Amino acid sequence: MLPKNDKAYVEMVKRLLPSLKRREKGPYAIFECFQEIPCNPCLTACRKGAVDIFIDINHLPIINYEKCNGCALCVIACPGLACFVIDETYTKTETSIKLPYELLPLPKAGQEVEALDRQGNVVGKAMVIRVQNHKKMDHTCIIAIAVLKEQSLVVRNIRY
Amino acid sequence: MQSTEIAIIGGGPAGMCAAQAAAEQGARVTLIDRGKQLGGQLVKQTHRFFGSEYEYAGIRGIHIANILEDAVRKLDNIEIKIDSTVLAIYGDGVITIEEGENYKKLTSKKTIISTGASEKMLVFTNNDLPGVYGAGAVQTLMNEHGVIPGENVLMIGAGNIGLIVSYQLIQAGVKVAAVIEAAPQFGGYHVHAAKIKRIGVPILTSHTIKEAIGKEFVEGAVICRLDANWKQIAGTEKKLDVDVICLAVGLSPLVELLWHAGCQMKYVPQPGGYVALRDRDLQTTVPGIYIAGDASGVEEASSAMIEGKIAGLSAAEALGYNKNASHMKAKYMEEINILRAGNVGKKVREGLKMLAV
């Protein structure tokens, strides 16, 4: 069952996180994929071999954080738009989050936007760091935003 | 009268894959579709597909339609008839077709029926007002013709179609006031729900629509809560100011031609209503008539494509063509079983158990 509120959701996501040591090293992917459905593009898209091979396509993907370098290929590949890349080393006070984004108009780098949680509630502000949108991404853009560190696991969308 | 070796009725994902599989074996195929273009429902699916790389996972449905059509058009032994509606399959095997303005007759040695599914309707007051749409119609308008259905939508049904079309509406700049679902839990994939939730669309489970408001067209909707027995709870009514009510309350296989051909049918709720009994080759109880895709039971496009390949190979094999056909069929069977193996495939597996001959 999909968690009813954000707090429960954050608790589920916390269990996916790599070790503190790995988090201090730089960007890493997280897959907010909690339901077994027949799907594997994250596995086939990853060029680092960082998604543990699962033979049964219904199994949930598990990331090998020794291999994941936070490149965000999975963010574009996931049909469920459930992959995000977190970089807790972005600045002393801020985390950067790479979000999959398929709405128009696209924000611009340097733009201040509203930060939303998984229920669509505004939980603060975010700064757009970078917008990636090239042909190969086929309209699933990657928006990199900076949010306060304590919101790393809360912010999953933007509005402006 | 025209004749062909394999007639395939319906040029969606199942029909196109069946045509390719059969033609690659060497059979002469006629692929018939009532639309102005091939692709069936794929041409409206702007989202990326699930599944594995064998079913083009991660690629948008609209692009998959192009990939499949290109493959079909490359094969000289496939004749394509678009804008062609099959009217009947008669006892002597004659298939009648309204092809554009013309009435045509076709005989075939084998026939694959891949006609897809139709949307279910829901009973509520004023459900005939303009502004009450099926989700398929909304997708046709919006994704094929670039026309938005209105400004503010109430979506009925939180299965995959309701969730996906809600997301597509938002992408088109339309507001979705809420998605309501009669069941206590929504049926669609969690990730589809998560996409619209984080945009701020509420998904209200144990809710139904009581009535549409408006004289000439939809000007609002009244929704209410349902109790554990799916009974409306008095006093929980809420009015929403919407101008579109979109119904995504399930699909039923399109099986008229199967009835007409005399296939043995059975009512099974899991695949969506009346469906034909079939053997492992997807052959019905009428020899030479095969089924594939949603017409054989409502499922995902990924399984429709594999079923198409199995039916196409089976029909070609039965005609004596055999380029490694049985080996390929075994591989596709394994592929489709894997897709159906998980939790979300439980319903499909239960349905299939009741339909095997």
Side-chain angles (χ1 to χ4, degrees):
Chain A
M1 193 49 207
L2 198 62
K4 275 229 153 57
N5 57 54
D6 231 62
K7 228 176 153 185
Y9 216 130
V10 169
E11 286 309 310
M12 280 174 78
V13 174
K14 266 186 191 166
R15 292 200 281 270
L16 301 175
L17 290 179
S19 66
L20 195 61
K21 213 174 139 195
R22 171 64 188 82
R23 286 161 60 192
E24 285 166 351
K25 269 191 187 162
Y28 58 86
I30 54 164
F31 295 171
E32 301 195 359
C33 179
F34 301 111
Q35 180 189 31
E36 292 196 343
I37 56 175
C39 189
N40 71 2
C42 55
L43 172 68
T44 52
C46 183
R47 289 192 195 149
K48 293 281 165 192
V51 181
D52 288 348
I53 290 170
F54 47 105
I55 307 290
D56 184 340
I57 193 170
N58 291 282
H59 283 173
L60 296 181
I62 295 167
I63 302 172
N64 179 339
Y65 283 111
E66 297 305 310
K67 293 181 183 170
C68 173
N69 67 348
C71 74
L73 268 179
C74 52
V75 178
I76 314 161
C78 174
L81 306 188
C83 302
F84 303 86
V85 169
I86 312 286
D87 184 0
E88 297 180 57
T89 68
Y90 180 62
T91 67
K92 268 214 166 104
T93 53
E94 294 160 305
T95 292
S96 82
I97 306 173
K98 284 186 175 175
L99 312 165
Y101 198 78
E102 297 186 327
L103 301 180
L104 292 172
L106 291 172
K108 288 190 171 64
Q111 190 175 339
E112 193 183 66
V113 294
E114 286 177 334
L116 310 182
D117 67 10
R118 294 179 186 81
Q119 318 296 320
N121 303 311
V122 179
V123 290
K125 297 277 181 203
M127 181 63 78
V128 177
I129 305 164
R130 190 176 172 209
V131 177
Q132 283 172 273
N133 176 25
H134 56 77
K135 219 177 160 192
K136 273 200 175 155
M137 296 164 82
D138 192 19
H139 306 288
T140 304
C141 305
I142 296 180
I143 315 277
I145 54 169
V147 300
L148 289 175
K149 265 211 158 61
E150 55 269 31
Q151 291 189 318
S152 310
L153 298 183
V154 176
V155 175
R156 287 298 176 268
N157 196 11
I158 53 169
R159 185 187 291 155
Y160 41 92
Chain B
M1 180 114 59
Q2 292 177 315
S3 72
T4 187
E5 287 189 311
I6 302 176
I8 301 175
I9 306 170
M16 287 197 287
C17 285
Q20 187 188 348
E24 280 173 350
Q25 290 293 313
R28 205 154 48 79
V29 174
T30 304
L31 177 61
I32 311 160
D33 194 90
R34 68 176 180 190
K36 301 271 184 206
Q37 58 178 329
L38 291 176
Q41 297 301 305
L42 286 178
V43 302
K44 317 172 192 174
Q45 308 309 328
T46 52
H47 61 283
R48 291 177 194 272
F49 275 38
F50 295 86
S52 79
E53 63 271 35
Y54 306 116
E55 303 92 37
Y56 311 103
I59 300 177
R60 297 182 192 280
I62 40 174
H63 300 322
I64 299 175
N66 292 332
I67 294 169
L68 298 181
E69 182 171 350
D70 286 349
V72 163
R73 289 202 184 272
K74 268 192 197 134
L75 290 158
D76 302 333
N77 48 341
I78 300 178
E79 187 197 353
I80 297 168
K81 291 177 183 288
I82 50 167
D83 196 11
S84 299
T85 307
V86 170
L87 305 170
I89 301 175
Y90 289 98
D92 55 2
V94 173
I95 299 167
T96 57
I97 310 167
E98 187 184 19
E99 192 175 345
E101 301 277 295
N102 303 308
Y103 183 73
K104 295 263 176 75
K105 286 189 262 183
L106 175 73
T107 57
S108 64
K109 289 183 180 150
K110 307 284 172 197
T111 301
I112 299 169
I113 298 183
S114 47
T115 40
S118 65
E119 287 181 278
K120 287 181 182 166
M121 189 55 190
L122 192 67
V123 179
F124 57 92
T125 308
N126 285 334
N127 70 357
D128 57 347
L129 272 180
V132 178
Y133 289 85
V138 165
Q139 284 192 309
T140 302
L141 266 181
M142 200 164 63
N143 301 346
E144 273 195 87
H145 303 292
V147 177
I148 57 168
E151 304 291 338
N152 197 359
V153 178
L154 170 65
M155 181 65 69
I156 318 284
N160 274 337
I161 296 180
L163 298 172
I164 288 168
V165 176
S166 294
Y167 184 67
Q168 293 174 352
L169 281 159
I170 296 162
Q171 288 181 305
V174 179
K175 188 171 184 273
V176 177
V179 179
I180 64 169
E181 166 62 52
Q185 284 178 14
F186 57 84
Y189 290 168
H190 292 176
V191 284
H192 280 317
K195 279 196 283 191
I196 61 168
K197 274 194 158 184
R198 63 177 181 253
I199 298 173
V201 177
I203 301 175
L204 309 172
T205 51
S206 295
H207 273 74
T208 194
I209 180 165
K210 261 189 109 149
E211 64 174 307
I213 302 168
K215 263 196 160 161
E216 303 285 322
F217 47 84
V218 172
E219 292 174 71
V222 178
I223 61 170
C224 72
R225 292 183 74 100
L226 294 174
D227 66 18
N229 300 314
W230 297 56
K231 291 265 180 301
Q232 298 184 0
I233 305 173
T236 61
E237 291 84 0
K238 207 171 137 192
K239 187 178 172 273
L240 299 175
D241 291 321
V242 294
D243 61 351
V244 172
I245 295 165
C246 183
L247 301 177
V249 290
L251 300 167
S252 304
L254 264 176
V255 291
E256 288 88 343
L257 290 172
L258 292 160
W259 280 111
H260 199 202
C263 303
Q264 199 181 329
M265 307 293 287
K266 190 172 175 183
Y267 185 89
V268 183
Q270 289 91 338
Y274 277 102
V275 270
L277 302 184
R278 79 291 307 266
D279 64 12
R280 275 175 63 85
D281 286 345
L282 295 176
Q283 189 170 212
T284 65
T285 52
V286 175
I289 294 194
Y290 298 78
I291 46 175
D294 276 359
S296 80
V298 173
E299 224 181 314
E300 296 292 318
S302 43
S303 3
M305 288 186 262
I306 306 176
E307 277 195 344
K309 291 174 194 172
I310 295 171
L313 285 171
S314 301
E317 209 182 9
L319 288 172
Y321 296 101
N322 193 348
K323 293 181 189 161
N324 209 12
S326 50
H327 174 77
M328 286 165 78
K329 236 163 58 183
K331 196 188 81 177
Y332 294 138
M333 298 265 193
E334 197 188 318
E335 235 172 72
I336 202 163
N337 286 337
I338 290 170
L339 283 186
R340 291 167 172 163
N343 270 331
V344 292
K346 193 169 164 247
K347 219 172 95 174
V348 176
R349 296 198 301 272
E350 285 171 0
L352 286 171
K353 259 191 209 156
M354 290 187 257
L355 291 162
V357 288

